[in-house]
Amino acid sequence: MKTFTIAVIAGDGVGTEVIPEAKRVLEAAVKKHGVALVFEDFDWGSDHFFRWGRMMPAGAIDLLQQCDAILLGAVGHPDVPDHTTLNGLLLPIRRAFDQYANIRPAYLYPGVQSPLAKAKGGEIDFVVIRENTEGEYAQVGGFVYHLQPEEVAIQTSVFTRRGVERIVRFAFELAVKRDKKKRVTSITKSNAQGYSMVLWDRAFKEVAATFPGIETESLLVDAAAMNFIRRPESFDVVVGSNLFCDILSDISAAVVGSMGLAASANLDPLRRYPSMFEPVHGSAPDIAGKGIVNPLAMILSAAMMLEHLQISAAARDIEAAVAAVLAEGKVRTPDIGGHSHTSAVTDAILEKLG
Ligand code: GGG
């Protein structure tokens, strides 16, 4: 029997609630396909920070590197600054394993109500591809006159030709593979960011020329934000920088019904290192501990992990089970208009998986 080792970082807040649900579903899904998963749990996150002064131990990356993939719940705690939690755990993992492609699907499941009155199930179906290792998240900068009245903060974005070309090429290859609208939309703000985003636009044009069968569109990020709401059905693959696509993928998640349905994959497309799979949502301290968090973003992220590990039949089984439960509409958490508890949603998925 083929066995995969999965590193599991539940993290903070609702992360600790959705991870056990994803494990239950994964175990049931792979069993039918002659595959075994061994979960290695790491208790890293804000509690680790309170005890040891760091979000994860010094040797964390070496431990993760031995695994086939990483499942992450959420990071963030009201008593720890957000830049500490993010720079202490999530961002170093993305960079250490060169997980340069962050894939964030936006699909309006039949049975889920979009806040957009005219949107019908199945009609919104696109993927946001976020550059995941550089750009505005490069952490280059510093303070001058730190904490003094005349304080200065400098934050520099880093856009490399290699980094832009590879993410844009990834987006085009995905548009070919999806075989849907065959359209790639590039997001920049080159009227204001006259160096980095101009480099992006040039690289986009050059890569696009090598994919003659794919239609292209270039939007400024403000126009993209508007069009995600005005004409979401027109998008197929959307590619943009680290910060822009982080923001836009919150809009796309809202448009397809809930952040609680938004899955994501942090991929090393070259498969040199483990890739990481996490819901787009954070630790959600406002609902943490109430047993009402929607587990489906985590469960769908776990399905993306199975797809990446080439256990595709099991991934498809999970996606079909999620679609069936959402279409029936009997069991759902409050974020999508229901009254069910987190574990009841997982139970319904397990029932569909048989
Ligand atoms: N699911 C992991 C998590 O907690 N994400 C929330 C977050 O703040 N992510 C930052 C980012 O993806 O840039």
Side-chain angles (χ1 to χ4, degrees):
M1 184 180 283
K2 192 150 172 68
T3 301
F4 293 89
T5 305
I6 311 299
V8 181
I9 309 169
D12 302 327
V14 296
T16 61
E17 296 172 60
V18 293
I19 280 284
E21 308 301 324
K23 281 180 172 174
R24 286 209 284 152
V25 171
L26 280 170
E27 267 162 356
V30 298
K31 209 158 52 182
K32 278 197 270 174
H33 299 283
V35 171
L37 301 178
V38 174
F39 296 117
E40 265 202 47
D41 291 282
F42 296 103
D43 63 346
W44 305 335
S46 294
D47 284 343
H48 191 278
F49 179 82
F50 293 131
R51 280 189 82 183
W52 306 107
R54 45 191 306 159
M55 293 290 289
M56 56 183 186
I61 297 297
D62 291 338
L63 290 172
L64 294 176
Q65 184 146 14
Q66 290 157 27
C67 299
D68 295 299
I70 306 162
L71 270 186
L72 173 74
V75 280
H77 190 287
D79 298 335
V80 187
D82 284 338
H83 68 272
T84 301
T85 48
L86 214 58
N87 286 295
L89 197 147
L90 187 53
L91 301 187
I93 297 173
R94 286 177 182 165
R95 276 196 293 266
F97 298 137
D98 206 13
Q99 296 166 346
Y100 66 84
N102 189 298
I103 305 173
R104 299 187 158 192
Y107 177 67
L108 179 58
Y109 281 93
V112 175
Q113 181 67 53
S114 166
L116 305 180
K118 62 179 183 180
K120 292 196 189 70
E123 278 180 3
I124 303 174
D125 182 0
F126 64 97
V127 184
V128 176
I129 305 295
R130 166 188 182 188
E131 198 295 316
N132 212 31
T133 49
E134 53 176 55
E136 307 88 342
Y137 276 55
Q139 298 307 327
V140 175
F143 294 109
V144 188
Y145 307 116
H146 195 205
L147 302 177
Q148 294 176 40
E150 59 277 24
E151 186 166 20
V152 177
I154 302 205
Q155 184 99 37
T156 304
S157 296
V158 175
F159 286 82
T160 64
R161 168 57 76 166
R162 164 183 169 268
V164 177
E165 273 180 10
R166 67 182 184 175
I167 195 65
V168 169
R169 192 169 301 111
F170 181 89
F172 276 92
E173 282 164 2
L174 183 65
V176 172
K177 204 161 99 191
R178 271 167 64 83
D179 200 19
K180 291 191 172 169
K181 295 174 209 112
K182 292 190 180 264
R183 180 179 306 140
V184 176
T185 303
S186 167
I187 312 294
T188 57
K189 186 71 181 172
S190 21
N191 53 352
Q193 304 280 296
Y195 303 109
S196 53
M197 299 271 162
V198 170
L199 165 67
W200 181 293
D201 285 348
R202 261 194 274 121
F204 181 76
K205 269 201 190 124
E206 286 169 24
V207 175
T210 65
F211 289 87
I214 302 294
E215 196 187 313
T216 65
E217 176 181 40
S218 290
L219 292 177
L220 296 178
V221 65
D222 44 333
M226 176 177 70
N227 286 326
F228 268 30
I229 289 162
R230 206 170 56 161
R231 53 170 175 87
E233 69 291 341
S234 70
F235 294 102
D236 180 14
V237 176
V238 177
V239 64
S241 70
N242 214 329
L243 181 62
F244 286 178
C245 281
D246 183 41
I247 297 167
L248 287 176
S249 59
D250 272 30
I251 303 178
S252 59
V255 158
V256 296
S258 173
M259 202 67 172
L261 296 171
S264 84
N266 302 273
L267 288 192
D268 164 24
L270 305 180
R271 297 176 181 276
R272 296 156 296 172
Y273 307 108
S275 290
M276 178 164 65
F277 302 82
E278 53 162 328
V280 173
H281 65 69
S283 57
D286 54 331
I287 58 161
K290 296 185 179 165
I292 55 163
V293 60
N294 192 337
L296 293 179
M298 184 78 244
I299 288 169
L300 288 167
S301 305
M304 291 177 86
M305 179 186 79
L306 295 183
E307 185 63 52
H308 180 70
L309 295 174
Q310 294 168 330
I311 318 168
S312 304
R316 280 195 299 272
D317 287 350
I318 295 177
E319 283 155 10
V322 169
V325 169
L326 289 171
E328 277 176 10
K330 285 189 258 174
V331 185
R332 51 179 59 190
T333 44
D335 58 302
I336 48 173
H339 301 282
S340 308
H341 278 136
T342 305
S343 57
V345 175
T346 311
D347 292 343
I349 302 289
L350 292 175
E351 201 181 307
K352 294 288 176 207
L353 284 174

